[in-house]
Amino acid sequence: MTMTYEQYLDEVTTLIHEQFDASEAEAIKFVMRAQAADFFSAHDEQPDMRTQQQAELDAKTVYEQRNKSKPGIYRK
């Protein structure tokens, strides 16, 4: 089952908060940074990428990259 783009971002945010013990505010910040770096562009254009399994992978990637300062770090 695929999610809307907004649902997908919410799910990634929730997973970061729950799985990595980040505060809700931190999780939102991490996802917003990733979104600003175009990490989620393909997800917006390809609904089949917005699955639970992909959200779990993306949550891990976004969390692991949260402290990187180079532009474009979220690009796949």
Side-chain angles (χ1 to χ4, degrees), residues 6 22 25 27 35-36 43 58 67 70 73:
E6 292 78 15
Q35 187 178 22
H43 302 72
D58 287 343
N67 291 324
K70 293 181 183 177
I73 55 147

Side-chain angles (χ1 to χ4, degrees), residues 21-66:
D21 201 30
S23 71
E24 288 183 40
E26 289 171 323
I28 291 167
K29 179 175 70 173
F30 303 151
V31 170
M32 289 177 66
R33 277 191 196 157
Q35 187 178 22
D38 293 329
F39 179 78
F40 296 108
S41 292
H43 302 72
D44 192 22
E45 298 166 7
Q46 300 174 22
D48 58 324
M49 290 186 71
R50 299 188 303 249
T51 64
Q52 183 65 37
Q53 182 179 12
Q54 187 64 47
E56 292 171 13
L57 294 171
D58 287 343
K60 183 176 189 273
T61 300
V62 169
Y63 183 76
E64 288 175 349
Q65 298 294 319
R66 71 195 181 283

